[in-house]
Amino acid sequence: AQSVTQLGSHVSVSEGALVLLRCNYSSSVPPYLFWYVQYPNQGLQLLLKYTTGATLVKGINGFEAEFKKSETSFHLTKPSAHMSDAAEYFCAVSEGTGGFKTIFGAGTRLFVKA
Amino acid sequence: GAGVSQSPSNKVTEKGKDVELRCDPISGHTALYWYRQSLGQGLEFLIYFQGNSAPDKSGLPSDRFSAERTGGSVSTLTIQRTQQEDSAVYLCASSPWQNTEAFFGQGTRLTVV
């Protein structure tokens, strides 16, 4: 069965600094991997996803993530944080062949300091 | 109205009462999920429906929780004899096929007093 671990329930960065949110997964088959974002008082929306092909995937708002099979990781990065990036970020895994449910991590709340 | 719709948006109920939460998925989406988000917690998987297959109920926390999906569309999550620990935001999501993007509703905030 698949599982997801997000390292750090809270991350604080200064505006303009690098954003790095860590996600490790386990899956018995090739996974599909996702990052979702939840802005304050809003629903969850997809930020980016990896299914097959290129391991570096780009999403909305300048975010990107790299699938590293050897490290079972799918860390989310953004070169320069903006105040509007303050939100909660969820990593998720879904087994890519025959598996059904999508499992989410506990979430990481990103704070951006002026 | 192309998004996932959940009702009610807020529900306050007395301990011991039953509640029903409704989810209208995006038309044509075959997969439907229920998750629970408690304060300070991640998204807890509850149940998954995919087409006409038997649902995956492995995330339901107790036998007080049940869900059904009628006609492959609307779903209802029922919580019987509610407890204070059931207080949370219940999120519904639908997907056009398994392993692709899940589209979330705005959730139902349940408060058990």
Side-chain angles (χ1 to χ4, degrees):
Chain A
Q2 68 269 48
S3 66
V4 178
T5 301
Q6 290 185 241
L7 299 177
S9 59
H10 297 84
V11 170
S12 182
V13 300
S14 298
E15 193 172 21
L18 172 71
V19 176
L20 171 60
L21 305 183
R22 299 178 186 273
C23 172
N24 289 89
Y25 70 92
S26 69
S27 177
S28 57
V29 297
Y32 287 8
L33 296 159
F34 308 84
W35 277 99
Y36 287 82
V37 59
Q38 186 176 34
Y39 295 105
N41 300 315
Q42 295 188 29
L44 279 88
Q45 59 181 287
L46 183 71
L47 201 55
L48 50 79
K49 67 180 178 183
Y50 167 80
T51 54
T52 59
T55 57
L56 180 64
V57 293
K58 296 184 185 300
I60 61 173
N61 300 334
F63 284 93
E64 61 183 38
E66 186 171 10
F67 168 55
K68 292 188 176 181
K69 183 179 178 181
S70 61
E71 298 178 7
T72 61
S73 70
F74 191 57
H75 301 330
L76 181 71
T77 61
K78 181 174 180 178
S80 177
H82 191 273
M83 298 296 288
S84 61
D85 295 327
E88 186 143 24
Y89 293 80
F90 294 91
C91 182
V93 62
S94 180
E95 293 185 334
T97 54
F100 293 149
K101 60 182 181 273
T102 299
I103 299 299
F104 285 79
T108 297
R109 184 165 294 279
L110 176 66
F111 298 92
V112 182
K113 300 174 292 186
Chain B
V4 176
S5 178
Q6 291 188 246
S7 60
S9 55
N10 283 283
K11 175 73 176 178
V12 179
T13 189
E14 292 181 351
K15 178 181 174 181
K17 300 284 189 182
D18 298 352
V19 295
E20 286 190 352
L21 312 180
R22 178 186 170 100
C23 173
D24 281 278
I26 294 172
S27 178
H29 281 193
T30 58
L32 187 148
Y33 302 83
W34 281 99
Y35 294 91
R36 179 168 69 175
Q37 186 175 24
S38 304
L39 188 62
Q41 303 295 316
L43 289 168
E44 177 186 6
F45 166 79
L46 298 178
I47 189 168
Y48 170 83
F49 296 89
Q50 173 57 268
N52 295 320
S53 302
D56 178 347
K57 304 179 181 180
S58 60
L60 294 178
S62 76
D63 58 7
R64 296 187 295 105
F65 288 72
S66 63
E68 63 177 20
R69 189 179 184 190
T70 54
S73 180
V74 172
S75 177
T76 302
L77 177 69
T78 300
I79 308 173
Q80 296 179 309
R81 306 180 301 282
T82 52
Q83 303 295 314
Q84 287 187 328
E85 61 262 29
D86 299 334
S87 296
V89 176
Y90 289 82
L91 293 167
C92 177
S94 70
S95 174
W97 191 245
Q98 65 259 38
N99 304 325
T100 60
E101 177 183 357
F103 293 81
F104 282 83
Q106 292 296 308
T108 294
R109 181 176 298 278
L110 175 67
T111 304
V112 181
V113 298

